[in-house]
Amino acid sequence: MLVRDAMSTVVLTIGPAHTLRQAATLMSARRVGAAVVLDPDGTGIGILTERDVLVSLGLGQDPDSERAHAHTTTDVVFAAPSWTLKDAAHAMTHGGFRHLIVLERGEPAGIVSVRDIIRCWVPARRQAAQHTPV
């Protein structure tokens, strides 16, 4: 299976000036664990994850004044839709993160998470186990 088969094509995008509370509200409403941060005048494409928000809160920072740009990961590993899910899982494991932004022609086309990969693999493994002779 390929990344294009598992990725979500509905991507939450925010700007660098969004507050962490705004980002968390949007992520919660859309039931996603990450937002793509688009900063055309600065760092380009980055990612803000639920973990980034939690770290900020754990440090006692104010989610109404902290801006996404201060917590965005800009050293991002991007996936291509043609990557295998094994390639994506390897990149996530090696990099220690749970989301990959999927780029197509230099633009965000989707996002794939560890959960997306597991959803694809579990039925395939279940089906393979059913066809394995005992």
Side-chain angles (χ1 to χ4, degrees):
M1 279 193 134
L2 302 178
V3 165
R4 78 171 41 91
D5 302 319
M7 72 182 193
S8 171
T9 57
V10 178
V11 179
L12 172 60
T13 59
I14 63 172
H18 276 81
T19 66
L20 290 188
R21 183 177 308 279
Q22 290 170 323
T25 299
L26 291 167
M27 289 172 18
S28 177
R30 300 216 179 136
R31 300 176 53 102
V32 297
V36 174
V37 181
L38 299 178
D39 187 1
D41 299 325
T43 57
I45 301 171
I47 192 166
L48 179 76
T49 67
E50 58 198 357
R51 184 178 301 164
D52 298 323
V53 175
L54 285 173
V55 167
S56 175
L57 291 175
L59 292 172
Q61 297 174 334
D62 180 5
D64 292 313
S65 62
E66 288 296 311
R67 302 292 172 178
H69 70 83
H71 302 276
T72 298
T73 300
T74 56
D75 184 19
V76 179
V77 175
F78 297 103
S82 59
W83 279 20
T84 66
L85 293 184
K86 185 175 179 179
D87 292 336
H90 181 265
M92 289 178 190
T93 302
H94 182 71
F97 46 82
R98 298 178 294 164
H99 299 87
L100 280 169
I101 299 170
V102 183
L103 290 185
E104 196 162 36
R105 293 185 276 296
E107 297 294 323
I111 194 160
V112 65
S113 69
V114 169
R115 180 178 288 156
D116 297 326
I117 293 171
I118 291 170
R119 282 185 190 138
C120 289
W121 280 350
V122 169
R125 291 185 192 278
R126 210 179 279 141
Q127 188 176 33
Q130 290 173 351
H131 293 8
T132 303
V134 179

